[in-house]
């Protein structure tokens, strides 16, 4: 995902590029700095079949949550070839979130001058389903890239926000 080619959607603001999203996130944090903020990047995907074609909808979400006071979110959807396995699908989702976080952070650092926020990567895996065997792998992958990982039921960025648009 190249940030110049990608547009994010927001229910109130419409389409924005990553630079505009980072400005909106920074302004949201600066508008009420007394609160603590959670910056979340999460991705979900779903296979689709129809009209003789199959594809994977991959949706990445950026969520800024003002603890106890609500938040805003932005999402991007892309069509990819169908995943060959659940493992491949979860890795694609996790790598998309990591890539997006690595593009977003430098933009935010320029705009925030040390304002406090906690960045989390939300992964659509949990102890109750078929992804339970992958939790350690993907959490380690996220941690190895210097980010905090959240899994179900705490991974609302992937399992609720991004999932809404797959």
């Amino acid at each position: 995902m190249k940030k110049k080619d990608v547009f994010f959607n927001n229910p109130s603001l419409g389409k924005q590029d990553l630079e505009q999203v980072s400005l909106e996130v920074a302004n949201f944090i600066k508008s009420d700095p007394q609160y603590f903020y959670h910056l979340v990047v999460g991705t979900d995907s779903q296979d689709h079949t129809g009209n003789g074609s199959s594809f994977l909808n991959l949706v990445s979400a950026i969520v800024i949550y003002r603890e106890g006071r609500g938040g805003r979110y932005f999402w991007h959807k892309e069509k990819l070839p169908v995943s060959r396995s659940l493992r491949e699908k979860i890795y694609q989702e996790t790598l998309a979130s990591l890539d997006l976080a690595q593009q977003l952070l430098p933009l935010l650092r320029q705009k925030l001058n040390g304002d406090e926020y906690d960045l989390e990567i939300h992964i659509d895996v949990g102890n109750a389903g078929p992804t339970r065997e992958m939790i350690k792998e993907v959490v380690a992958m996220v941690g190895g890239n210097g980010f905090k990982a959240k899994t179900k039921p705490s991974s609302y960025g992937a399992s609720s926000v991004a999932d809404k648009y797959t």
Side-chain angles (χ1 to χ4, degrees), residues 151-165:
T151 61
K152 289 179 182 177
S154 301
S155 61
Y156 61 87
S159 58
S160 292
V161 179
D163 178 72
K164 180 177 180 175
Y165 296 98

Side-chain angles (χ1 to χ4, degrees), residues 86-113:
L86 179 61
R87 179 173 299 282
E88 180 182 320
K89 185 174 157 180
I90 296 299
Y91 270 88
Q92 279 183 301
E93 292 173 6
T94 305
L95 289 170
S97 291
L98 286 169
D99 181 46
L100 180 54
Q102 289 168 347
Q103 291 179 49
L104 180 62
L105 274 183
L107 298 172
L108 283 176
R109 285 188 184 122
Q110 293 172 351
K111 294 169 179 59
L112 286 174
N113 290 336

Side-chain angles (χ1 to χ4, degrees), residues 50-92:
N51 296 333
S53 67
S54 297
F55 59 92
L56 179 76
N57 263 344
L58 185 84
V59 176
S60 294
I62 298 169
V63 180
I64 184 67
Y65 172 64
R66 184 181 289 147
E67 202 165 273
R69 306 291 287 181
R72 293 186 178 166
Y73 68 90
F74 306 84
W75 59 275
H76 166 75
K77 182 188 294 189
E78 60 185 300
K79 288 183 180 182
L80 300 173
V82 174
S83 299
R84 291 185 300 267
S85 67
L86 179 61
R87 179 173 299 282
E88 180 182 320
K89 185 174 157 180
I90 296 299
Y91 270 88
Q92 279 183 301

